[in-house]
Amino acid sequence: MATVAFIGLGVMGYPMAGHLKTKGGHELRVYNRTAEKARKWADEFGGTACDTPADAAKGADFVFTCVGNDDDLRAVTLAPGGVLHGMSEGAILIDNTTASAEVARELADACSDKGCGFLDAPVSGGQAGADNGVLTVMVGGDEATFAKANPVIDAYARMVGLMGPVGSGQLTKMINQICIAGLVQGLSEGIHFGKKAGLDIEKVVDVISKGAAGSWQMENRHKTMNTGRYDYGFAVDWMRKDLDIVLTEARRNGATLPVTALVDQFYADVQAMGGNRWDTSSLLARLEK
């Protein structure tokens, strides 16, 4: 059993921290910007709610962060009261935020100066994956740090992979989002086309999902898409945040991403329709407006 701090109890972090407590059997200290949520988590799982990230990190063997973006991450790690001001030498910071590779390297340097380890470890699998403890975790860092942290990360994961040095986890998550963006647009166009052609979408998907067109998105989202329900997971606002990270990195490394850039603009159209909090499958709503 380890002493673990978890910073950020949103729709992903709340159940992830819960699995670290219940499945991992670790001692948990938690912090959330809304203190009431941290107290609720502590009452539910038996951990300790702390007043600051630094307080949560004091004496912890492993510190997890799962917040919104680069700025949020810097605020809970580097700013006064952040975890770097509470972590002890030898502790490991594991960041589950989907953020830039740049901030991952920045945090790795800060941890190194303090004698601590660092892993960038963004996740995929959505709220359902977090709730069920079956997330895919893409990790950047050195092998020794990964070997120490992997058994702890396993509590909320189905698959954990070391992708390379610091920043590689975030870069892999960018590829994940590139692939999803194009796939969801294709699925949206397929359903839209099928409706216009007068086909029974359920029958169509039952057949094509068993062939080369099949995907997780098709299996898990076609029913809700077909009925115009878009409250089943990762929000459009967050997808646009992720795609901004992707396109910024592409400008830096010279990658050409025409479909990703186009789908990003389609999501901007969904936002303009008031769909900021709709899930990412709402690209179909844009076609049907």
Side-chain angles (χ1 to χ4, degrees):
M1 183 182 76
T3 299
V4 174
F6 203 101
I7 314 302
L9 301 173
V11 294
M12 300 293 286
Y14 195 100
M16 289 164 68
H19 290 304
L20 286 165
K21 176 66 175 176
T22 58
K23 289 170 61 177
H26 304 296
E27 177 186 342
L28 262 289
R29 302 172 185 174
V30 299
Y31 168 84
N32 194 67
R33 184 170 52 186
T34 304
E36 181 180 350
K37 196 165 190 180
R39 290 192 293 269
K40 178 178 181 293
W41 187 97
D43 290 341
E44 181 177 348
F45 291 100
T48 303
C50 298
D51 293 330
T52 69
D55 289 339
K58 288 176 182 174
D61 303 301
F62 301 92
V63 178
F64 290 80
T65 50
C66 188
V67 294
N69 56 37
D70 286 20
D71 290 340
D72 294 333
L73 187 53
R74 291 186 178 100
V76 299
T77 55
L78 302 174
V83 296
L84 264 297
H85 299 277
M87 289 175 67
S88 303
E89 184 176 351
I92 297 174
L93 174 58
I94 302 154
D95 177 40
N96 295 132
T97 308
T98 296
S100 68
E102 178 184 7
V103 77
R105 298 180 188 110
E106 183 180 334
L107 290 179
D109 288 343
C111 285
S112 178
D113 290 343
K114 197 173 175 66
C116 299
F118 175 80
L119 299 171
D120 55 295
V123 301
S124 180
Q127 186 175 348
D131 288 341
N132 295 316
V134 291
L135 292 168
T136 296
V137 189
M138 299 149 269
V139 184
D142 66 75
E143 292 186 4
T145 303
F146 176 74
K148 292 177 183 176
N150 193 9
V152 183
I153 297 171
D154 276 341
Y156 57 78
R158 173 173 56 189
M159 170 65 189
V160 185
L162 179 63
M163 312 312 299
V166 167
S168 299
Q170 296 296 353
L171 292 169
T172 303
K173 179 61 183 288
M174 293 177 207
I175 296 171
N176 186 80
Q177 302 306 74
I178 291 167
C179 295
I180 288 174
L183 192 154
V184 176
Q185 178 62 21
L187 179 58
S188 298
E189 291 184 14
I191 292 173
H192 176 64
F193 178 91
K195 286 183 173 184
K196 290 292 187 182
L199 296 174
D200 184 324
I201 297 301
E202 288 301 318
K203 289 183 178 179
V204 169
V205 171
D206 186 54
V207 172
I208 70 171
S209 64
K210 307 305 188 293
S215 68
W216 184 97
Q217 292 286 340
M218 182 177 287
E219 289 282 359
N220 291 276
R221 290 290 177 265
H222 80 274
K223 290 181 183 292
T224 53
M225 292 171 72
N226 192 34
T227 55
R229 291 177 288 141
Y230 303 116
D231 55 351
Y232 288 88
F234 195 60
V236 167
D237 279 351
W238 291 115
M239 186 59 157
R240 287 218 72 205
K241 183 267 292 187
D242 288 2
L243 294 181
D244 179 65
I245 292 170
V246 169
L247 295 169
T248 298
E249 181 66 25
R251 287 190 290 271
R252 189 199 66 77
N253 69 20
T256 303
L257 305 177
V259 173
T260 303
L262 185 60
V263 175
D264 179 55
Q265 291 307 302
F266 292 165
Y267 278 123
D269 293 342
V270 175
Q271 288 176 318
M273 295 167 58
N276 302 66
R277 302 303 299 172
W278 295 348
D279 70 61
T280 52
S281 68
S282 58
L283 286 172
L284 177 58
R286 174 184 170 276
L287 299 174
E288 295 186 333
K289 68 178 180 179

